[in-house]
Amino acid sequence: MSTPLSQERAGILVVDDRPDKHVVYRAILEELGQDLVEATSGEQALKHVLHRDFAVILLDVNMPGLDGLDTAALIRGRKRSAHVPIIFVTADYGDEIRTARGYSLGAVDFMMSPIVPEVLRTKVKVFVDLYLLARQAKRQAEESAALAAERIARDAAERASRQSAFLADASAALSGSLIASATTRALARLAVPFLADVSALTLVEAEGVEPVTELAWTDPEAPSGIATEALQTTAWLGWRHAVERVITSGKLETFTPSHVLSITAGAGSGSPMVLPRGPQITALALVPLIARARTIGVLSLGMGPSERAFDSELLDVATDLAGRAAIALDNAFLYRTLHEQDRRKNEFLAMLSHELRNPLAPITNAAHMLQPNETDPRRITWAKEVISRQVRQLARLVDDLLDVSRITQGKIELKIESIEVSEVVNAAVETARPMLDSQEHALAVVLPAQPLRIKGDFTRLAQVLGNLLNNAAKYTDRNGRIELTVGHEESQIVFRVRDSGIGIPPDALGTIFELFAQVQQTLDRSRGGLGIGLTLVKRLVEMQGGTVAAHSEGYGCGSEFVVRLPEAIDAAPTKTSLTQSKPGGESVDASYRVLVVDDNVDAAESMAMILRLDGYVVQLAFDGEVALDAVRNLAPDAILLDIGLPRMDGFQVAERIRALPSCASTLLVAITGYGQPEDLERSRRAGFDRHIVKPIDPSLLTQMLAEHCRSRTTVNSTENVVPLRKRPAAN
Ligand code: ADP
C-alpha cells in the first residue's frame, strides 16, 4: 500500500553559519510540516546529505571555511545528492560571477537576504511537493511491479501444477499397458488438446513393430472431442522427411507457419498443411522419443484451430512427455521380447523332452533283444548298432546343449591354427555320414585342385560343417542331393553347403540362427532337433573371425548355407589332427590289470565288460575307500577313476593313490563330465595322467590302454583324452 502524500515528510536541509538565521528559517518553514535539518557549516551539510535524501537544500553562500558554492560543488559530486535542488541565499546578489558559478553548480534559485518569508515558503513548498510526488510515483511503480511479478509467479505456478498433473496423468495412462500398440494410441490421444491441436506418433520400424503413425486431433463433432486414425503411410513428403530427419538426429525440430508451408510444398500445393485431415496446421513441432540412447519414434505436434504457438515451456512439457512415453514403449518392446523368449524356451523344453525321450524307446527294445537266450548273431548285431546309434544321438544332443551354454558364458576356448581344408571337410563328412546314408542322399564334395589352408579351430570347424551337412540331410527328403563346395574368394575360404531339400521361407531366413528358432514344423516333428545347431554354427564361425549366411528361394526350393573364414597365409603344417591310430591288432599283455572306480554300478560294469572282452584283468570298486584297498592288493597298471564319487571324491582318491610308492608308474585316468581348462588343471594337480570327458568312446579307451600296455611310457592324445603329465617309464 502506498503512503498518502499528506502523511509523508520530506527533508529540508538548511545550511547557514549563523544560528540566529536558523531561528528565522525554522519560523518560516515550520508550517510546511516537513523535517527541517540544520547545518552550520559546509562539512556538516555534507554529512547530512550522505545519510538521507532531501527535497531541497537552502545554502548560505557566504560561510567561513567551506563556502556555499564549494559545498554545492561537493554535494553535486555525490551520487545520492547529485540532483537535489539547491537554493542559494546571499546578501550579495550583484556578484554576477558567483551567481553564474552557482547556476553552473545546479542552483535552482538565488534568494536575497533578508528573506521574504512568503516567497521562501512558497519556493520550498514547490520542491517539497515535487519530491513527495516523485517518491509516491516511484513507490507506486515498485508496488505494481511487485504485483505483476506475483501474478506471473502465480500463473507460472498454476501452469506448472497443470503441467505436473498432465504429466502424472500421462504417466499413469502410459504405464497402464505393456502392449506397445495400446501405449502408442494412448500417447497420441494424451497430447491433444493439452499440448497441441493435432498429434501424430510415428514409431521407428523395429523388430516386430509395424511402421504405423497414430493420429489424434481435436474434433468438436467426435463424441469425446478427439478423433483418431492410424496411418500406414504418410502423404506429406515434407513431413515424412522431417520425421526421418528427427529419427536420425534425435533432436527436436520446430516449424513456424512459413516453415509449415514450405514443408507442405512437397505435396505440390504450398497450401496450409492439413494433418492428418480436418484441422489446418500452422505450427509444427517434432519431438524425438529416446530410450536407451536410441530414437524409437517421433511425436509430431501441430497447432491449428487454437491458434497457439509452441513456446519453450510447452516444448519442455512435450519433451518430458516424449521421455516418459519412450520409457513406456521401450518397456513394452522389452516385455514383448521377453514374452517371445519365454515362449521359445517353453517350446524348447517341450522339444527337449521329446528329443531326449526319442532314443530311449529303441534302446529299450534293443536291450530287450539282448537277452541271454538270444543267439541269432544278426539280431545281436542289430541291437548293438541300434544302441550305439541312439546313444550317439543322445550324446550329440547333450554336447550341443553344453556347447551352447559354454559359448553363452564365453567359456569356449579355440585353438586357432593353420588347417588343411580337405582334412576338415573329411572330418565333417565323417560326422554327417550316418545321417546322409540313412536318408540315402547323394553327397558331392567339390574341393579346389590346389590345397587350401584356413585359419581356425579344427574340431570346431568340423563341427560347424558337420552341423550344416546334418541339417542338409535332415531337411531334405529321402534320395536328395547335397553338395559341399569349397572355394577361394579374396583371401577368404568359402564353404557352401547346398541341398535340394524343403527350403526356408524368406521371412524365416532372418531368425533361424537365433537360439531355439525353428521354422514351423509338422506336428509329429519328424525331423527332430532342438533349434540350437545353427546358433552354435553362427557363434563358432564368428569366434573364428568368419561369417555365415543362409539363402533359399522358399519352400521346396532347397537351401544354401555359406560359411566364410579367413585364409591362413602361412603354409605351416597342420598342427591339429584327428587321425587316430587304430588299436587294431594289438595283443594285450595278460598280466595288465585295470581298476575301474565308479559309483554308477552300470557304468562301471559295462566298462569292465568291454575291457575284459579285450583281454584285460579288471577289478571294480564303487567308492574311494574300496578303491584304495583294491589298489594296495591288486597293484593295477591302470586306474580309471570317476571324479564324482560319494564321500571321498576322485581327486582325493587320486592324491592318496599317487602317495603310494607302488603306484608311481600306474596310469591314472580321470573320468569326468567336465573338460574345461580349469578341470584339466585340477586333474593334473591331483596326479592324474589323463583326463577323459564322458561319454567315453570304448575304442579310444582300449586304444589308450593298449598303447600304455605296449609302451608303458607314452600315450597319444585323442579328441577327448587329454594327457596331463609325462609319465615316468615303467620298470
Ligand atoms: P534344429 O535343426 O535342431 O531344429 P537348427 O538350429 O540346426 O535347429 O536349425 C534351425 C531351423 O532352421 C531348423 O529347425 C529348420 O527349420 C531350419 N533349417 C536349418 N537348416 C535347414 C536346411 N538345410 N533346410 C531347411 N531348413 C533348415
Side-chain angles (χ1 to χ4, degrees):
M1 269 300 258
S2 63
T3 319
L5 199 51
S6 56
Q7 287 175 17
E8 269 207 67
R9 290 161 76 94
I12 302 167
L13 179 61
V14 181
V15 191
D16 201 310
D17 57 315
R18 287 173 49 188
D20 59 314
K21 290 275 186 72
H22 281 291
V23 176
V24 175
Y25 284 129
R26 210 177 304 133
I28 298 171
L29 298 175
E30 208 158 34
E31 74 179 59
L32 292 179
Q34 306 302 321
D35 293 339
L36 214 59
V37 179
E38 295 167 358
T40 51
S41 68
E43 289 84 354
Q44 220 176 45
L46 287 170
K47 272 189 198 147
H48 284 301
V49 295
L50 263 186
H51 293 115
R52 68 167 293 179
D53 293 333
F54 291 97
V56 60
I57 299 173
L58 291 181
L59 192 51
D60 180 23
V61 175
N62 298 309
M63 288 189 295
L66 205 55
D67 74 4
L69 293 176
D70 292 339
T71 306
L74 290 167
I75 287 174
R76 282 278 168 265
R78 295 190 176 161
K79 199 168 166 226
R80 185 168 190 166
S81 54
H83 303 290
V84 183
I86 297 174
I87 300 174
F88 285 107
V89 182
T90 178
D92 191 9
Y93 194 58
D95 184 346
E96 288 195 354
I97 297 175
R98 297 186 90 193
T99 310
R101 189 163 166 239
Y103 279 117
S104 75
L105 287 170
V108 291
D109 208 349
F110 271 87
M111 291 190 74
M112 283 298 290
S113 183
I115 294 288
V116 182
E118 274 309 310
V119 175
L120 176 68
R121 199 181 301 116
T122 310
K123 285 192 173 176
V124 168
K125 188 170 185 309
V126 169
F127 290 114
V128 163
D129 287 350
L130 267 178
Y131 173 83
L132 290 176
L133 272 174
R135 285 284 299 262
Q136 191 182 31
K138 188 174 166 219
R139 207 168 25 250
Q140 274 171 350
E142 279 168 3
E143 276 171 9
S144 27
L147 269 178
E150 194 187 311
R151 198 172 325 110
I152 289 170
R154 202 173 45 239
D155 284 356
E158 274 170 17
R159 248 191 341 268
S161 93
R162 271 203 310 276
Q163 286 163 1
S164 302
F166 166 74
L167 288 171
D169 287 351
S171 284
L174 289 171
S175 58
S177 168
L178 274 173
I179 315 283
S181 54
T183 310
T184 316
R185 261 194 308 278
L187 177 62
R189 283 188 64 112
L190 272 168
V192 174
F194 189 85
L195 286 178
D197 301 335
V198 178
S199 87
L201 178 64
T202 312
L203 285 184
V204 174
E205 188 174 5
E207 195 191 332
V209 178
E210 304 86 42
V212 168
T213 296
E214 288 286 349
L215 297 152
W217 65 97
T218 47
D219 181 358
E221 282 165 25
S224 62
I226 297 173
T228 57
E229 190 177 322
L231 286 185
Q232 300 297 328
T233 55
T234 311
W236 295 278
L237 268 188
W239 176 40
R240 208 162 69 200
H241 290 158
V243 167
E244 282 162 7
R245 218 168 37 238
V246 172
I247 288 172
T248 315
S249 71
K251 296 221 167 65
L252 178 139
E253 284 195 24
T254 50
F255 300 86
T256 56
S258 58
H259 276 115
V260 174
L261 271 183
S262 74
I263 73 166
T264 47
S269 60
S271 55
M273 186 174 186
V274 180
L275 177 98
R277 55 186 171 78
Q280 284 186 354
I281 305 300
T282 49
L284 190 64
L286 305 190
V287 193
L289 268 66
I290 300 174
R292 288 182 289 148
R294 210 167 48 88
T295 306
I296 60 170
V298 173
L299 178 64
S300 304
L301 298 171
M303 294 297 191
S306 72
E307 294 177 0
R308 286 181 293 169
F310 290 106
D311 57 16
S312 64
E313 206 171 290
L314 204 57
L315 290 175
D316 282 350
V317 180
T319 307
D320 196 329
L321 176 70
R324 289 168 200 234
I327 293 169
L329 281 167
D330 196 40
N331 283 345
F333 296 151
L334 284 174
Y335 175 75
R336 178 157 44 189
T337 310
L338 274 181
H339 201 68
E340 174 61 19
Q341 282 171 352
D342 192 48
R343 190 189 60 73
R344 278 200 204 158
K345 189 194 74 198
N346 289 338
E347 225 174 77
F348 165 75
L349 287 175
M351 274 187 313
L352 181 62
S353 42
H354 180 274
E355 291 300 309
L356 290 177
R357 264 168 186 285
N358 255 352
L360 295 182
I363 289 175
T364 314
N365 294 342
H368 189 75
M369 283 276 194
L370 293 174
Q371 296 299 323
N373 56 359
E374 181 56 69
T375 50
D376 183 346
R378 276 174 312 161
R379 286 160 73 98
I380 293 175
T381 309
W382 173 85
K384 278 180 169 170
E385 280 174 4
V386 166
I387 291 174
S388 69
R389 197 165 47 242
Q390 296 300 330
V391 167
R392 259 205 315 275
Q393 169 65 6
L394 267 176
R396 225 173 68 85
L397 281 176
V398 174
D399 276 351
D400 277 0
L401 281 170
L402 286 177
D403 274 352
V404 167
S405 93
R406 282 189 212 132
I407 287 187
T408 320
Q409 297 169 40
K411 281 193 177 164
I412 283 209
E413 276 187 23
L414 296 179
K415 213 166 78 192
I416 304 288
E417 51 198 355
S418 170
I419 299 166
E420 167 58 48
V421 165
S422 61
E423 277 185 37
V424 81
V425 166
N426 286 342
V429 170
E430 209 172 285
T431 323
R433 182 57 74 190
M435 183 66 142
L436 291 161
D437 289 349
S438 70
Q439 294 294 306
E440 296 174 50
H441 292 315
L443 172 71
V445 177
V446 184
L447 291 169
Q450 296 295 324
L452 286 178
R453 303 197 76 81
I454 195 164
K455 246 169 64 189
D457 177 309
F458 187 96
T459 313
R460 295 309 189 173
L461 198 49
Q463 185 182 357
V464 163
L465 297 176
N467 260 347
L468 293 178
L469 284 171
N470 248 320
N471 272 356
K474 195 159 72 168
Y475 297 105
T476 299
D477 291 336
R478 201 165 266 281
N479 286 316
R481 190 181 153 70
I482 291 162
E483 203 177 276
L484 167 58
T485 57
V486 186
H488 184 215
E489 293 172 18
E490 294 170 353
S491 71
Q492 283 186 324
I493 306 296
V494 185
F495 298 85
R496 292 174 198 275
V497 178
R498 232 185 318 253
D499 63 52
S500 59
I502 61 170
I504 303 167
D507 59 344
L509 278 173
T511 54
I512 50 170
F513 290 102
E514 287 174 16
L515 194 56
F516 309 144
Q518 294 189 309
V519 182
Q520 191 99 44
Q521 297 202 349
T522 48
L523 274 182
D524 66 354
R525 298 190 29 77
S526 54
R527 298 179 203 264
L530 291 173
I532 53 182
L534 286 182
T535 308
L536 273 178
V537 164
K538 185 165 192 287
R539 305 245 174 110
L540 288 172
V541 167
E542 285 170 355
M543 282 171 78
Q544 296 177 66
T547 58
V548 58
H551 308 282
S552 174
E553 298 295 317
Y555 269 127
C557 300
S559 314
E560 183 188 52
F561 287 80
V562 184
V563 173
R564 292 170 187 276
L565 281 161
E567 176 190 22
I569 313 289
D570 65 293
T574 315
K575 279 191 256 155
T576 315
S577 169
L578 270 194
T579 46
Q580 297 149 8
S581 57
K582 296 280 178 227
E586 295 96 345
S587 58
V588 171
D589 179 346
S591 67
Y592 193 89
R593 291 168 306 259
V594 183
L595 174 65
V596 176
V597 190
D598 198 326
D599 62 322
N600 181 330
V601 177
D602 282 351
E605 283 182 340
S606 57
M607 195 186 292
M609 226 139 82
I610 291 168
L611 296 176
R612 283 185 187 125
L613 276 176
D614 277 7
Y616 294 102
V617 177
V618 185
Q619 191 168 349
L620 294 177
F622 303 126
D623 72 33
E625 289 295 346
V626 178
L628 286 168
D629 286 346
V631 170
R632 288 185 200 104
N633 299 332
L634 182 76
D637 297 286
I639 303 171
L640 307 180
L641 182 51
D642 182 42
I643 296 295
L645 294 174
R647 293 177 294 278
M648 195 192 308
D649 71 19
F651 296 122
Q652 293 166 305
V653 178
E655 280 162 11
R656 306 261 297 262
I657 291 173
R658 275 287 171 241
L660 298 172
S662 60
C663 292
S665 61
T666 304
L667 176 68
L668 195 50
V669 183
I671 312 273
T672 164
Y674 303 96
Q676 295 305 299
E678 58 272 22
D679 305 315
L680 267 61
E681 176 55 25
R682 236 189 124 188
S683 295
R684 196 191 56 74
R685 280 205 311 272
F688 282 105
D689 299 301
R690 297 288 182 271
H691 182 106
I692 302 187
V693 181
K694 293 179 194 174
I696 303 169
D697 180 339
S699 61
L700 293 184
L701 182 65
T702 51
Q703 175 198 350
M704 181 184 73
L705 291 177
E707 286 176 5
H708 178 244
C709 178
R710 208 174 43 240
S711 66
R712 304 218 184 169
T713 49
T714 51
V715 178
N716 282 350
S717 150
T718 57
E719 188 181 8
N720 57 351
V721 179
V722 186
L724 298 171
R725 67 173 195 147
K726 192 147 178 69
R727 292 171 32 71
N731 25 8

